[in-house]
Amino acid sequence: MTARQSNILAMTGAVLLFIGLALQFVKLVFAPYVYLVGSILFAYVQVRSGYDGKNIVIRRLRQLMGAMLLVFTGVLMLLWHRNEWIARLSIAAVLELYTAFRIPQEEQKEKNS
Protein backbone atom coordinates (compact mmCIF):
# COMPACT_ATOMS: atom_id res chain seq x y z
CA MET A 1 0.00 0.00 0.00
CA THR A 2 1.40 3.39 -0.95
CA ALA A 3 1.64 6.34 1.40
CA ARG A 4 -1.08 8.13 -0.54
CA GLN A 5 -3.47 5.21 -0.18
CA SER A 6 -2.70 4.99 3.54
CA ASN A 7 -3.41 8.70 3.95
CA ILE A 8 -6.70 8.38 2.10
CA LEU A 9 -7.76 5.42 4.26
CA ALA A 10 -6.72 7.19 7.46
CA MET A 11 -8.58 10.37 6.52
CA THR A 12 -11.67 8.38 5.51
CA GLY A 13 -11.53 6.54 8.82
CA ALA A 14 -11.15 9.77 10.77
CA VAL A 15 -14.09 11.39 8.97
CA LEU A 16 -16.26 8.32 9.59
CA LEU A 17 -15.22 8.36 13.25
CA PHE A 18 -16.34 11.97 13.56
CA ILE A 19 -19.59 11.41 11.68
CA GLY A 20 -20.34 8.32 13.75
CA LEU A 21 -19.78 10.25 16.98
CA ALA A 22 -21.99 13.10 15.84
CA LEU A 23 -24.73 10.67 14.86
CA GLN A 24 -24.35 8.84 18.18
CA PHE A 25 -25.02 12.03 20.12
CA VAL A 26 -28.19 12.49 18.05
CA LYS A 27 -29.06 8.86 18.99
CA LEU A 28 -29.43 7.47 15.47
CA VAL A 29 -29.58 3.68 15.35
CA PHE A 30 -26.89 3.22 12.68
CA ALA A 31 -24.36 5.58 14.31
CA PRO A 32 -22.29 2.84 16.01
CA TYR A 33 -21.84 1.08 12.67
CA VAL A 34 -20.51 4.25 11.00
CA TYR A 35 -18.18 4.82 13.95
CA LEU A 36 -17.00 1.19 13.97
CA VAL A 37 -16.16 1.22 10.24
CA GLY A 38 -14.19 4.44 10.74
CA SER A 39 -12.31 3.08 13.74
CA ILE A 40 -11.43 -0.14 11.92
CA LEU A 41 -10.09 1.82 8.92
CA PHE A 42 -8.09 4.09 11.21
CA ALA A 43 -6.67 1.17 13.22
CA TYR A 44 -5.86 -0.76 10.05
CA VAL A 45 -3.71 2.08 8.73
CA GLN A 46 -1.89 2.32 12.06
CA VAL A 47 -1.22 -1.42 12.13
CA ARG A 48 0.05 -1.42 8.53
CA SER A 49 2.42 1.50 9.12
CA GLY A 50 4.78 -0.36 11.40
CA TYR A 51 8.14 0.77 12.73
CA ASP A 52 11.26 -1.24 11.91
CA GLY A 53 13.80 0.94 13.70
CA LYS A 54 15.64 0.27 16.94
CA ASN A 55 14.37 3.22 19.02
CA ILE A 56 12.63 1.65 22.01
CA VAL A 57 10.58 4.80 22.76
CA ILE A 58 9.07 4.90 19.27
CA ARG A 59 8.47 1.15 19.40
CA ARG A 60 6.53 1.52 22.65
CA LEU A 61 4.56 4.49 21.34
CA ARG A 62 3.56 2.39 18.31
CA GLN A 63 1.95 -0.33 20.44
CA LEU A 64 -1.40 0.71 18.98
CA MET A 65 -3.25 0.85 22.27
CA GLY A 66 -5.18 3.97 21.24
CA ALA A 67 -6.32 2.43 17.95
CA MET A 68 -7.51 -0.73 19.67
CA LEU A 69 -9.42 1.34 22.23
CA LEU A 70 -11.12 3.21 19.39
CA VAL A 71 -12.36 -0.10 17.95
CA PHE A 72 -13.37 -1.31 21.41
CA THR A 73 -15.38 1.90 21.86
CA GLY A 74 -17.34 1.07 18.69
CA VAL A 75 -18.10 -2.39 20.01
CA LEU A 76 -19.34 -0.87 23.28
CA MET A 77 -21.59 1.49 21.33
CA LEU A 78 -23.19 -1.53 19.67
CA LEU A 79 -23.57 -3.68 22.77
CA TRP A 80 -24.47 -1.14 25.43
CA HIS A 81 -26.91 1.63 24.80
CA ARG A 82 -25.73 3.76 27.69
CA ASN A 83 -22.78 6.16 27.80
CA GLU A 84 -19.95 3.97 29.14
CA TRP A 85 -18.24 4.22 25.78
CA ILE A 86 -17.43 7.89 26.41
CA ALA A 87 -14.78 6.98 29.01
CA ARG A 88 -13.03 4.60 26.59
CA LEU A 89 -13.21 7.14 23.82
CA SER A 90 -11.63 9.77 26.06
CA ILE A 91 -8.76 7.48 26.99
CA ALA A 92 -8.21 6.51 23.34
CA ALA A 93 -8.23 10.17 22.27
CA VAL A 94 -5.65 11.11 24.89
CA LEU A 95 -3.38 8.20 23.85
CA GLU A 96 -3.71 9.06 20.15
CA LEU A 97 -3.01 12.73 20.80
CA TYR A 98 0.02 11.94 22.95
CA THR A 99 1.54 9.63 20.34
CA ALA A 100 0.82 12.13 17.55
CA PHE A 101 3.13 14.62 19.28
CA ARG A 102 5.72 12.26 20.78
CA ILE A 103 6.56 10.11 17.76
CA PRO A 104 7.73 13.03 15.56
CA GLN A 105 9.84 14.35 18.48
CA GLU A 106 11.51 10.97 18.93
CA GLU A 107 12.06 10.59 15.19
CA GLN A 108 13.72 13.99 15.12
CA LYS A 109 15.98 13.02 18.04
CA GLU A 110 16.90 9.79 16.27
CA LYS A 111 17.64 11.68 13.06
CA ASN A 112 19.90 14.17 14.85
CA SER A 113 21.85 11.47 16.66
Side-chain angles (χ1 to χ4, degrees):
M1 178 181 319
T2 66
R4 179 173 165 79
Q5 291 171 332
S6 292
N7 286 339
I8 291 171
L9 276 179
M11 290 301 283
T12 303
V15 168
L16 287 174
L17 278 168
F18 180 74
I19 291 171
L21 284 174
L23 294 175
Q24 181 70 14
F25 285 117
V26 180
K27 301 286 187 197
L28 292 177
V29 177
F30 60 90
Y33 298 104
V34 174
Y35 176 88
L36 194 57
V37 168
S39 67
I40 289 171
L41 283 175
F42 193 76
Y44 175 75
V45 170
Q46 285 190 338
V47 168
R48 293 284 301 183
S49 65
Y51 175 71
D52 295 328
K54 297 189 186 297
N55 188 331
I56 191 74
V57 175
I58 295 175
R59 198 172 286 226
R60 288 188 179 232
L61 286 170
R62 301 276 315 145
Q63 286 181 342
L64 309 172
M65 192 64 149
M68 294 305 121
L69 279 174
L70 286 174
V71 174
F72 183 59
T73 300
V75 172
L76 287 179
M77 283 181 184
L78 285 172
L79 298 177
W80 295 342
H81 298 289
R82 298 184 305 261
N83 291 333
E84 291 88 356
W85 58 269
I86 294 174
R88 272 84 174 175
L89 178 64
S90 300
I91 293 168
V94 167
L95 287 172
E96 289 293 331
L97 189 62
Y98 177 74
T99 58
F101 284 102
R102 285 287 293 154
I103 288 175
Q105 288 176 349
E106 288 298 321
E107 286 174 343
Q108 188 64 31
K109 278 187 202 175
E110 187 177 36
K111 190 182 205 182
N112 291 339
S113 297

